[in-house]
Amino acid sequence: QVQLAESGGGLVQAGGSLRLSCAASGIRFSINTMGWSRQAPGKQRELVASINIGGSTNYVDSVKGRFTISRDNTKNTVYLQMNSLKPEDTAVYYCHTMYRSPTYWGQGTQVTVSS
């Protein structure tokens, strides 16, 4: 059974930091590109960051320089370090696999940034 379990969300003031974690089980984690996406109320889900099996990363322009995605294959875990948070970062954040079929998604974790 595949499970992606996010944690680390919460309420933070603007300018603050949070670190999201996503522990994977039931998949060969090390061969999967992993992503973090987010969905704010009334908006489409957007891909925020991704990391491939070699460790190369990509970010949406709005988070470049503030967010860092990383992975630990020994722990089957992907992280999203979020610094200098802004109210517009408020959303439900999901981790997921990428480029393989089927794709797997976690249940999401709420991040709320107050101004």
Side-chain angles (χ1 to χ4, degrees):
Q1 182 179 357
V2 176
Q3 185 173 15
L4 300 179
E6 300 103 334
S7 60
L11 173 64
V12 64
Q13 288 188 331
S17 298
L18 285 173
R19 188 194 195 202
L20 306 183
S21 299
C22 172
S25 59
I27 61 171
R28 290 182 62 191
F29 181 80
S30 62
I31 67 170
N32 277 275
T33 293
M34 299 298 298
W36 284 97
S37 292
R38 66 186 179 187
Q39 187 164 22
K43 295 187 177 181
Q44 288 190 328
R45 189 173 296 187
E46 69 169 347
L47 177 64
V48 173
S50 64
I51 183 166
N52 70 10
I53 60 175
S56 295
T57 58
N58 282 289
Y59 300 92
V60 68
D61 285 347
S62 60
V63 307
K64 284 181 180 177
R66 299 189 299 122
F67 289 12
T68 302
I69 188 171
S70 61
R71 65 191 297 161
D72 185 340
N73 290 340
T74 67
K75 297 181 179 179
N76 287 356
T77 300
V78 60
Y79 305 96
L80 186 67
Q81 177 67 45
M82 305 185 295
N83 299 328
S84 302
L85 282 161
K86 304 175 180 180
E88 51 263 44
D89 294 318
T90 295
V92 178
Y93 284 72
Y94 301 89
C95 74
H96 54 93
T97 60
M98 296 178 65
Y99 305 133
R100 290 181 176 269
S101 182
T103 57
Y104 297 102
W105 291 75
Q107 81 288 349
T109 186
Q110 176 70 47
V111 172
T112 303
V113 184
S114 63
S115 57

